Amino acid sequence: MAEWENKVRKAVPYTPGEQPKEKEITKLNTNENPYPPSPAVKEALEELNYRDMRLYPAPDAAELVSAIAAEYKVKPESVFVGVGSDDVLSVAFQTFFNSDKPVLFPEITYSFYDVWADIYKIPYEAIPLNNDLTIDPEDYTLENGGIVIANPNAPTGIFMGMDAIESIVKANPGSVVIIDEAYIDFGGESCLPLIKKYDNLLVVQTFSKSRSLAGMRIGFAMGNAALIKYMNDVKFSVNSYTMSRAAIAVGAAVVKDSEYYKGTCAKIIKTREHAKNALTRLGFEFPDSKANFIFAKHSTVEAKKLFEELKKRKIYVRYWDKPIIRDYLRITVGTSTDMQKLTDALTDILK
Amino acid sequence: MAEWENKVRKAVPYTPGEQPKEKEITKLNTNENPYPPSPAVKEALEELNYRDMRLYPAPDAAELVSAIAAEYKVKPESVFVGVGSDDVLSVAFQTFFNSDKPVLFPEITYSFYDVWADIYKIPYEAIPLNNDLTIDPEDYTLENGGIVIANPNAPTGIFMGMDAIESIVKANPGSVVIIDEAYIDFGGESCLPLIKKYDNLLVVQTFSKSRSLAGMRIGFAMGNAALIKYMNDVKFSVNSYTMSRAAIAVGAAVVKDSEYYKGTCAKIIKTREHAKNALTRLGFEFPDSKANFIFAKHSTVEAKKLFEELKKRKIYVRYWDKPIIRDYLRITVGTSTDMQKLTDALTDILK
């Protein structure tokens, strides 16, 4: 080991789902939207003036912030934007989870939460789920340094109603509560209305899932202006210009075409419900997902085996060889053709 | 103050140069390139398939990394890419400056260094410059937790030769030395060849200045593979996908057209030398800049007054009301027309 390596921070990074380079695969492993984004994206890209790229973008990304504010009927001062919701959440962790008390989040949830806690040296306590994989709001009344909950939760897909969220936010006036609504548009109901009532609630969403814009890297948070100001102070201590001119223009265009994404979400919900029936017939069990994925366990065959057999057939789903969840596959809801391929392959594997 | 605010990290952010929304101004305040980027950017934007935006970008940004590696004749494992060099430098600070010894950097330098040190709780010591604003390499032999030097330095524009850099890197085998070469293409000489000899040297560059791509947010670092691996581990602990599909495609295209940017840099250098003569005739003094800006002090008139008078005439330059440098204006080198406007305005103000 070189001498300078003593001063290096050795991080254990998050491992994202595989991004295979092959084209001819059925990719149901990273919860991408099977439909292209709104045609407004095409127009916005075409309208970009390449000559303007010599200039920095607006550091406040005002065009995008205003578009989001108008769409969600909040003030621009209540909106924070970042390079995907991972960037937004990471800034929120850095900003709000700054005490010696443990931050609370479910034991089974988005697997970046403990990675951020580690990198920012935030103490945390992972709270077990109920046996049916649901979250018990009562568990989030312990003394804490902050709370983060994905709703619907990942990778279970289970949605928690607004009353339950409100009970958590209300019980914790001394902490910021982050609700990560990456998958909210697939049948859940956003707790956004609560930000007017509770100044300690931050709602985080993304353009990567329901708006089919994972490739552009846009996420956002909404909360009272004081929360957003604190986040911007941290953001401007790291990088003044995180949002490119392309991201700002494309993001603003897509947020103005809500009809389009609501249509594709409706299609995905329909396909999901159909897929649930097909999977049940094949011997799978799963919690009732309100997200664009299904977290499914087969009654007799090991998830690992199914994962590998599907991969041989060029169908990629997500599998974690970890306690509690190693019996499950997380299957992204694709088009109905994708799901037919999946159920055909599973029928073949299970026969 | 709300109860949750006790747990908030209160950051004092970096203040970037103004980005006025008016179009009819002469913008010489943020060191942007006055020329548009290579026409390859136009093509790359046109070739983006908006439908693919539903998919995440490649987390390793391999297309961009390979293009940079080919251009600079290093291995892809020696290249790290980020959202502008601010992102790259911020990750490098987090990764390499992880001891209780102070990180060293010049007292007058890029004003983000102390902001990153504060946000990441890194102890630091700002080393005074020589009276002529040059850096003394001998000052960087103190015991330290790491070193960062901008070369050419900002906002002085003074370039330090490769021998001086090598003496610093060689004297500090126990620390990572970061050389921030944001402005290297305007007449300096990169210390990149030294990375083959020293495993503790990280060279950081950006597409924002010489390649006219500030609006796209692309920066990169080059160093031995172990350094780059450590940075990627930290990066993947914060955000798996920082580089959008647009940034990857545009970045890869622009790096392949080196002839273009070398041409615009040559024009800027010519304009800079001409502007130096004009400023001298107007009573200014300045260190010999090898960057795309001139750090100039007038013999009789206060910098603050000149800054304000120029602003009234819609010419924006950069001014800091801070010790040591409050007598100076940092003037970005624009087109020869921009510089003529500047010298005409200064002539008027000084008459």
Side-chain angles (χ1 to χ4, degrees):
Chain A
M1 200 168 89
E3 207 187 323
W4 54 264
E5 292 188 81
N6 292 319
K7 291 169 185 162
V8 170
R9 181 185 284 234
K10 281 104 188 168
V12 180
Y14 170 83
T15 310
E18 287 174 272
Q19 297 289 2
K21 266 139 205 160
E22 291 177 86
K23 281 280 177 192
E24 296 310 307
I25 60 162
T26 303
K27 194 166 177 307
L28 305 175
N29 69 332
T30 55
N31 296 343
E32 287 151 329
N33 197 306
Y35 301 105
S38 156
V41 170
K42 186 169 191 287
E43 281 168 47
L45 283 170
E46 282 166 3
E47 280 167 19
L48 280 176
N49 183 345
Y50 90 100
R51 303 176 70 92
D52 289 343
M53 289 294 172
R54 72 179 185 84
L55 299 169
Y56 282 98
D60 58 4
E63 186 190 350
L64 176 57
V65 164
S66 315
I68 293 170
E71 171 68 16
Y72 290 93
K73 301 186 173 55
V74 296
K75 288 180 183 160
E77 308 89 82
S78 283
V79 177
F80 177 92
V81 295
V83 182
S85 59
D86 285 347
D87 181 37
V88 174
L89 287 162
S90 147
V91 172
F93 270 56
Q94 257 188 300
T95 308
F96 301 124
F97 297 164
N98 199 36
S99 78
D100 51 9
K101 303 212 173 61
V103 164
L104 310 181
F105 49 79
E107 187 179 4
I108 304 300
T109 190
Y110 186 31
S111 38
F112 233 126
Y113 299 159
D114 57 0
V115 175
W116 286 318
D118 286 336
I119 195 90
Y120 297 130
K121 297 173 185 163
I122 299 166
Y124 65 90
E125 192 176 329
I127 311 280
L129 297 177
N130 295 325
N131 285 338
D132 63 358
L133 303 181
T134 56
I135 291 167
D136 185 347
E138 294 285 324
D139 289 341
Y140 295 82
T141 52
L142 301 172
E143 194 177 14
N144 63 70
I147 291 172
V148 56
I149 287 179
N151 192 37
N153 196 17
T156 65
I158 299 171
F159 172 70
M160 190 194 275
M162 207 178 321
D163 289 353
I165 297 289
E166 182 165 6
S167 73
I168 294 172
V169 178
K170 200 172 177 175
N172 290 282
S175 295
V176 173
V177 178
I178 301 174
I179 305 296
D180 174 359
E181 296 189 334
Y183 300 103
I184 199 68
D185 296 323
F186 300 104
E189 182 193 10
S190 174
C191 67
L192 180 64
L194 299 177
I195 70 168
K196 304 223 160 120
K197 203 164 156 189
Y198 300 97
D199 64 359
N200 62 324
L201 171 63
L202 188 80
V203 180
V204 177
Q205 296 194 5
T206 177
F207 282 30
S208 300
K209 310 296 183 185
S210 57
R211 286 190 171 86
S212 304
L213 218 52
M216 214 55 219
R217 318 307 305 120
I218 305 171
F220 59 109
M222 295 176 288
N224 88 77
L227 285 173
I228 300 302
K229 169 73 166 64
Y230 282 127
M231 285 180 76
N232 272 318
D233 284 350
V234 168
K235 174 225 135 73
F236 280 105
S237 297
V238 174
N239 192 350
S240 310
Y241 307 99
T242 53
M243 307 305 287
S244 72
R245 287 178 168 265
I248 292 171
V250 166
V254 85
V255 84
K256 287 170 189 163
D257 185 12
S258 286
E259 212 160 312
Y260 178 88
Y261 93 90
K262 285 176 184 165
T264 54
C265 286
K267 283 204 269 187
I268 291 166
I269 291 168
K270 196 172 161 193
T271 307
R272 177 186 69 208
E273 298 307 313
H274 190 81
K276 282 178 184 172
N277 292 333
L279 289 170
T280 303
R281 284 194 296 272
L282 283 163
F284 285 91
E285 287 178 1
F286 38 82
D288 186 34
S289 171
K290 295 283 183 198
N292 70 336
F293 53 82
I294 299 168
F295 194 54
K297 172 166 100 168
H298 195 263
S299 52
T300 56
V301 184
E302 282 183 357
K304 190 172 186 182
K305 185 177 176 220
L306 294 172
F307 170 74
E308 282 161 2
E309 287 295 325
L310 284 169
K311 202 165 173 179
K312 281 185 202 162
R313 289 161 177 83
K314 296 198 177 185
I315 297 173
Y316 284 70
V317 298
R318 194 88 196 264
Y319 168 71
W320 291 270
D321 195 358
K322 280 190 192 170
I324 307 177
I325 61 171
R326 67 163 52 90
D327 291 339
Y328 290 85
L329 296 176
R330 191 197 66 187
I331 304 164
T332 302
V333 178
T335 61
S336 51
T337 310
D338 293 335
M339 300 323 270
Q340 190 61 52
K341 278 187 196 165
L342 173 84
T343 47
D344 286 352
L346 286 171
T347 305
D348 182 45
I349 295 164
L350 294 165
K351 84 177 172 224
Chain B
M1 199 169 91
E3 206 186 325
W4 54 264
E5 292 187 84
N6 292 319
K7 291 170 184 161
V8 170
R9 179 185 286 233
K10 282 104 188 168
V12 180
Y14 171 83
T15 311
E18 288 174 272
Q19 297 290 1
K21 266 140 204 160
E22 292 177 86
K23 282 280 177 191
E24 296 310 307
I25 61 162
T26 303
K27 194 167 178 307
L28 304 175
N29 69 333
T30 54
N31 295 343
E32 288 152 329
N33 197 307
Y35 301 105
S38 157
V41 169
K42 186 169 191 286
E43 282 168 47
L45 284 170
E46 282 166 3
E47 279 168 18
L48 280 176
N49 183 345
Y50 89 99
R51 304 177 70 92
D52 288 344
M53 289 293 173
R54 71 177 184 86
L55 299 169
Y56 282 97
D60 58 5
E63 185 189 351
L64 175 57
V65 165
S66 314
I68 293 170
E71 172 67 15
Y72 290 93
K73 301 186 174 55
V74 296
K75 290 181 184 159
E77 308 89 82
S78 284
V79 178
F80 177 92
V81 295
V83 182
S85 59
D86 286 347
D87 180 37
V88 174
L89 287 162
S90 147
V91 172
F93 270 56
Q94 257 188 301
T95 308
F96 301 124
F97 297 164
N98 198 39
S99 78
D100 51 9
K101 306 212 172 59
V103 164
L104 310 180
F105 49 78
E107 189 180 3
I108 303 301
T109 190
Y110 185 31
S111 39
F112 233 126
Y113 299 160
D114 57 359
V115 175
W116 287 317
D118 286 337
I119 194 92
Y120 297 130
K121 298 172 184 163
I122 298 166
Y124 65 90
E125 192 175 330
I127 312 279
L129 297 176
N130 295 325
N131 285 337
D132 62 358
L133 302 182
T134 56
I135 292 168
D136 186 346
E138 293 286 322
D139 290 341
Y140 295 83
T141 51
L142 301 173
E143 194 178 15
N144 63 70
I147 291 171
V148 56
I149 288 179
N151 192 36
N153 196 16
T156 66
I158 299 171
F159 172 71
M160 189 194 278
M162 207 180 318
D163 288 353
I165 296 289
E166 181 165 7
S167 74
I168 294 173
V169 177
K170 200 173 176 174
N172 290 282
S175 294
V176 173
V177 178
I178 301 175
I179 305 298
D180 174 0
E181 297 189 334
Y183 300 102
I184 199 68
D185 296 322
F186 300 103
E189 182 193 10
S190 174
C191 67
L192 180 63
L194 298 178
I195 69 167
K196 303 223 160 119
K197 204 165 157 189
Y198 299 98
D199 63 359
N200 61 324
L201 170 63
L202 188 80
V203 179
V204 177
Q205 296 194 6
T206 178
F207 283 30
S208 299
K209 310 296 182 184
S210 57
R211 286 190 171 85
S212 304
L213 218 53
M216 211 57 218
R217 317 309 305 121
I218 305 171
F220 59 109
M222 295 176 287
N224 88 77
L227 286 173
I228 301 303
K229 169 73 166 61
Y230 282 126
M231 286 180 76
N232 272 318
D233 285 350
V234 168
K235 175 223 136 72
F236 280 106
S237 297
V238 173
N239 192 351
S240 310
Y241 307 99
T242 52
M243 308 305 287
S244 73
R245 287 179 168 265
I248 292 171
V250 166
V254 86
V255 85
K256 287 171 189 162
D257 185 12
S258 286
E259 213 160 312
Y260 177 88
Y261 93 91
K262 286 177 183 164
T264 54
C265 286
K267 284 203 269 186
I268 291 165
I269 291 168
K270 197 173 160 192
T271 307
R272 178 186 68 209
E273 297 308 312
H274 190 81
K276 283 178 185 172
N277 292 332
L279 289 170
T280 302
R281 284 194 296 272
L282 283 163
F284 285 91
E285 286 178 2
F286 37 82
D288 186 34
S289 170
K290 296 283 183 198
N292 69 337
F293 53 83
I294 299 168
F295 193 54
K297 173 166 100 166
H298 195 262
S299 52
T300 56
V301 185
E302 281 184 358
K304 191 173 186 181
K305 183 174 177 223
L306 294 172
F307 169 75
E308 282 160 4
E309 288 295 325
L310 285 169
K311 203 166 171 178
K312 281 184 201 161
R313 290 160 175 83
K314 297 200 176 183
I315 297 173
Y316 284 71
V317 299
R318 194 89 196 262
Y319 168 71
W320 292 270
D321 195 357
K322 280 189 192 171
I324 306 177
I325 60 171
R326 65 164 54 89
D327 292 339
Y328 290 85
L329 295 176
R330 191 197 66 188
I331 304 165
T332 302
V333 178
T335 61
S336 50
T337 310
D338 293 335
M339 300 323 271
Q340 192 61 51
K341 280 187 195 166
L342 173 84
T343 47
D344 287 352
L346 285 170
T347 306
D348 182 47
I349 296 164
L350 294 165
K351 80 174 174 227

